[in-house]
Amino acid sequence: MLDQIKNNISNSISSKYNEILLDLEKIFEKIKKELISKKKENLDNLKVWEIENQHLIHGFAWIATYIESLRQINKWALKLAKNKNISEFEHLILDIAFIEYVSQILNGIPMSQTEFIKVNDYECIIPNDLYTLNKNLTENFSINEIAKLKERLVKIAVKKETTTTLENTQLDLEFEQIREQFQKFNAINVNNDSNQWHLKDELIPQNLIDELSKLGVFGLTIPEKYGGLGLNKLAMCVVSEELARGYIGVGSLATRTEIASELIINDGTKAQKDLWLPKIANGETIPAACFTEPDCGSDLGSIKTKAKKDADNYFLSGNKTWITHASRANLFIILARTNPDISQKNKGLSIFLVPKTPETKKEFFPDKNISGTEIKVLGYRGMKEFELRFENLEVECLGLLGEVENNGFSQLMKTFESARIQTAARSIGVAQNALDLALSYSLNRKQFGRSIINFQRVYNKIAMMIVEIAMGRQLTYFAAKNKDLGHRCDLEAGMAKLLCAKIAWSSADNSLQIHGGNGYALEYEISRILCDARVLNIFEGSAEIQAQVIANRIMGKIPN
């Protein structure tokens, strides 16, 4: 069997993968047609229908995401083969990816630990629809020898001497050089201290932020004329991935600057761009995004923070919650309601750029119109989370983004694509860290006279980490490339965020299981990574919100 795999490597990638994808797309289209038909039938009670059928609607999004991830890993392998860069390792990744993900589509995709979706959960799917897919899978893939494929994959992984990624990512040299630069940064500045920052619940040291600033992290995608590096979203992904591989808090420092700078680049006035972008790019200004409220969560259209205009100023009052890096920040990006009378709630919102005083040794929030309480959390601790209260917080009219009222919701929506792509990249970094630790621990830990990596239940877990990280990485890069081309990519970004957050959690959970009791000890890094990984399925749009967005986009707007 393995000899046959090696022989295939010297040839072009077999059409068997394309045949599987065609089979899946036929099934996908049939399910899509069923859901659209039922949506049309229930237009008068659409919200009720969506709530009552959430499992099937969200399951459809998961099926679509799995198919897209297989499409992208196949394209990755085809490009490697065309360039004669594919090795047995990459070929094994491809085969295992298809066997595992197609099997899950047929038998149950885990949307959570207790919720599973399979294609024959839909009324339109009959046994005949699955016959060709099953036949192609069983005849063309070594399903019964999947354990041997995984064992071989892990053995090659152990022999690989690399400081970057295990698989060939198929990125241009400049991106791999960026990756290596930030791996070296982690080795010097992050890896030895990150667990202590977590255990002591400390802010990431200011000197580390200064070093990141020197490397241009905060101005990564800001145009050069404003002091940034002018790089693209793909570069942002590589940097975010590698920094999060060291510590999610470090990898997330640039998320707030990315959101703030993109808002200002897209919709700011010339004066706002000239004032804020250079300061954000050089690390002088640290923004915090103040969007979420205690009773709203993902429903940003329902926020209650009010902005009342009086002469040349606005006065903001209201509560915000889960505000990351709020105490250290010196610029708040606040979403507030400027028109409470508009029937469509999301049409009455505006965004404000509000300077603030950073924390002191005595107070988190020295400004008299801002108060806040720290929210203690399991992980993701390096920047701290806060609940905030604004009481008639005065903001000059020049602080209104674009100096135009009631555009805040649409302004914010434009940034969600980038934020979700970046979160997918952070998820892959966390997953890669979990894999690094699993490989190291299982090689060194001996039980019953052998390294535990030689036990099937251990190498099976590690193999799936390798495969899913490669798949998530390609899906994330696919979304980033689309963004760089200027395409609408809320669908691609949503899929990347949905899948990669799941991969981060499963990789962290499996790595901790491999560590056994030691993994549950605070002194072992994997205990921190498990806590860090869990939040990725929640922020920047929970898995449930992501699935709804994906399904809505694919089904489109149904005309009356």
Side-chain angles (χ1 to χ4, degrees):
M1 176 198 62
L2 293 175
D3 289 337
Q4 183 182 354
I5 289 174
K6 291 176 184 178
N7 290 334
N8 285 341
I9 293 166
S10 60
N11 304 319
S12 63
I13 294 294
S14 167
S15 63
K16 66 182 184 180
Y17 307 102
N18 290 327
E19 289 172 5
I20 290 285
L21 286 169
L22 284 172
D23 293 337
L24 289 170
E25 284 166 15
K26 288 175 185 175
I27 293 167
F28 166 79
E29 288 298 328
K30 197 168 182 180
I31 296 171
K32 177 183 172 183
K33 187 176 179 181
E34 176 190 317
L35 289 176
I36 289 175
S37 176
K38 289 189 174 181
K39 193 172 180 180
K40 285 180 180 177
E41 291 171 9
N42 290 276
L43 278 178
D44 292 339
N45 264 317
L46 192 55
K47 290 289 183 187
V48 174
W49 177 79
E50 286 181 341
I51 291 169
E52 290 178 350
N53 291 277
Q54 212 174 51
H55 182 81
L56 292 176
I57 294 168
H58 289 191
F60 174 60
W62 275 101
I63 291 168
T65 299
Y66 264 46
I67 293 172
E68 189 59 59
S69 68
L70 288 172
R71 190 181 290 120
Q72 293 309 315
I73 201 72
N74 188 44
K75 285 182 179 179
W76 161 79
L78 282 168
K79 189 174 180 182
L80 284 172
K82 184 179 178 181
N83 295 332
K84 297 182 179 179
N85 282 332
I86 193 165
S87 70
E88 182 186 359
F89 187 73
E90 283 81 19
H91 204 287
L92 284 164
I93 287 174
L94 184 63
D95 262 17
I96 295 168
F98 269 78
I99 292 170
E100 288 286 350
Y101 270 38
V102 174
S103 296
Q104 287 184 38
I105 290 169
L106 288 168
N107 301 307
I109 296 171
M111 297 193 291
S112 71
Q113 286 88 335
T114 57
E115 298 169 289
F116 298 84
I117 192 73
K118 50 188 183 294
V119 289
N120 62 7
D121 287 340
Y122 298 87
E123 292 174 5
C124 62
I125 301 299
I126 59 176
N128 264 357
D129 294 322
L130 307 179
Y131 174 77
T132 305
L133 178 60
N134 268 310
K135 184 172 179 288
N136 282 333
L137 187 65
T138 53
E139 289 184 356
N140 294 309
F141 292 87
S142 305
I143 296 175
N144 294 332
E145 299 189 33
I146 185 69
K148 290 183 180 179
L149 297 178
K150 290 177 178 177
E151 181 181 22
R152 178 64 182 158
L153 181 74
V154 173
K155 283 183 177 177
I156 298 173
V158 168
K159 290 179 182 178
K160 277 178 169 284
E161 292 182 6
T162 177
T163 57
T164 55
T165 59
L166 289 171
E167 83 279 9
N168 184 337
T169 62
Q170 200 56 46
L171 291 181
D172 292 339
L173 179 61
E174 64 174 305
F175 295 105
E176 293 306 333
Q177 288 174 336
I178 290 171
R179 187 189 302 283
E180 288 181 11
Q181 179 183 22
F182 283 96
Q183 285 188 342
K184 289 175 183 175
F185 176 87
N186 281 342
I188 296 169
N189 300 284
V190 178
N191 295 346
N192 293 329
D193 299 311
S194 54
N195 217 43
Q196 286 305 306
W197 299 333
H198 166 79
L199 292 175
K200 294 177 181 178
D201 197 6
E202 294 178 339
L203 285 170
I204 292 163
Q206 181 61 45
N207 68 309
L208 188 139
I209 293 177
D210 295 340
E211 290 300 316
L212 287 172
S213 180
K214 290 175 187 176
L215 290 172
V217 168
F218 304 121
L220 204 67
T221 59
I222 292 175
E224 292 181 68
K225 67 178 180 178
Y226 297 113
L229 296 181
L231 297 177
N232 60 16
K233 301 299 183 185
L234 187 56
M236 174 194 75
C237 284
V238 173
V239 172
S240 298
E241 179 187 329
E242 288 306 323
L243 288 176
R245 185 177 180 177
Y247 179 39
I248 191 174
V250 177
S252 299
L253 281 168
T255 308
R256 270 127 295 284
T257 57
E258 184 71 24
I259 292 170
S261 60
E262 189 162 1
L263 280 167
I264 295 167
I265 290 167
N266 287 341
D267 292 295
T269 63
K270 183 181 184 302
Q272 287 169 341
K273 291 175 184 178
D274 291 341
L275 173 64
W276 292 115
L277 292 177
K279 292 181 179 181
I280 292 172
N282 67 22
E284 179 184 344
T285 291
I286 298 175
C290 303
F291 306 143
T292 305
E293 296 191 358
D295 296 324
C296 298
S298 298
D299 183 14
L300 292 177
S302 296
I303 71 162
K304 297 175 182 176
T305 296
K306 295 177 183 178
K308 291 184 178 181
K309 191 174 181 181
D310 184 3
D312 293 330
N313 296 313
Y314 287 89
F315 291 87
L316 277 58
S317 295
N319 297 318
K320 296 291 181 181
T321 193
W322 294 111
I323 310 306
T324 305
H325 223 184
S327 63
R328 183 183 262 164
N330 50 17
L331 174 66
F332 275 170
I333 315 294
I334 302 175
L335 184 66
R337 186 165 299 284
T338 41
N339 190 337
D341 300 322
I342 294 178
S343 58
Q344 288 180 284
K345 292 183 178 181
N346 60 0
K347 299 292 185 183
L349 303 175
S350 302
I351 291 176
F352 294 88
L353 310 175
V354 185
K356 67 170 281 286
T357 306
E359 68 176 5
T360 65
K361 290 182 179 180
K362 293 182 178 179
E363 293 181 274
F364 279 135
F365 301 101
D367 296 309
K368 64 178 181 180
N369 299 101
I370 303 172
S371 58
T373 305
E374 183 183 356
I375 302 170
K376 293 293 185 179
V377 289
L378 291 170
Y380 195 60
R381 293 177 170 178
M383 295 176 289
K384 295 186 178 288
E385 304 294 322
F386 290 90
E387 185 158 339
L388 303 178
R389 174 69 187 169
F390 306 132
E391 291 280 0
N392 289 318
L393 177 63
E394 188 173 355
V395 185
E396 293 182 358
C397 286
L398 294 175
L400 175 66
L401 183 64
E403 295 188 32
V404 179
E405 284 190 357
N406 305 322
N407 280 356
F409 190 83
S410 61
Q411 290 168 342
L412 187 58
M413 289 302 105
K414 295 176 194 175
T415 71
F416 274 12
E417 292 177 351
S418 295
R420 286 170 179 169
I421 292 168
Q422 191 176 38
T423 301
R426 286 185 285 169
S427 299
I428 291 301
V430 171
Q432 186 71 55
N433 195 352
L435 171 60
D436 296 339
L437 294 172
L439 278 168
S440 175
Y441 187 85
S442 60
L443 277 167
N444 291 300
R445 176 71 168 175
K446 289 183 170 56
Q447 292 285 279
F448 308 106
R450 62 198 324 205
S451 296
I452 64 171
I453 199 168
N454 295 302
F455 293 106
Q456 191 177 77
R457 291 293 303 281
V458 173
Y459 66 68
N460 278 350
K461 291 178 177 67
I462 292 173
M464 279 311 296
M465 288 186 222
I466 295 169
V467 170
E468 289 200 295
I469 289 168
M471 295 177 78
R473 187 175 276 128
Q474 291 305 314
L475 191 60
T476 301
Y477 294 171
F478 169 63
K481 289 171 185 176
N482 273 279
K483 184 70 175 174
D484 287 331
L485 290 170
H487 298 162
R488 177 183 175 181
C489 65
D490 54 335
L491 177 63
E492 295 85 351
M495 286 179 166
K497 201 274 184 185
L498 180 70
L499 184 65
C500 293
K502 171 181 173 286
I503 291 168
W505 173 247
S506 63
S507 295
D509 190 40
N510 280 319
S511 184
L512 190 145
Q513 187 71 21
I514 288 167
H515 282 72
N518 286 335
Y520 205 63
L522 291 177
E523 66 184 280
Y524 280 78
E525 284 187 71
I526 190 59
S527 66
R528 179 196 85 235
I529 293 165
L530 185 78
C531 295
D532 290 343
R534 189 61 188 87
V535 76
L536 291 161
N537 245 325
I538 299 171
F539 65 16
E540 302 297 347
S542 68
E544 291 77 13
I545 290 292
Q546 248 22 264
Q548 189 70 46
V549 168
I550 293 164
N552 285 345
R553 174 69 195 285
I554 293 172
M555 287 190 282
K557 192 174 262 188
I558 308 298
N560 290 315

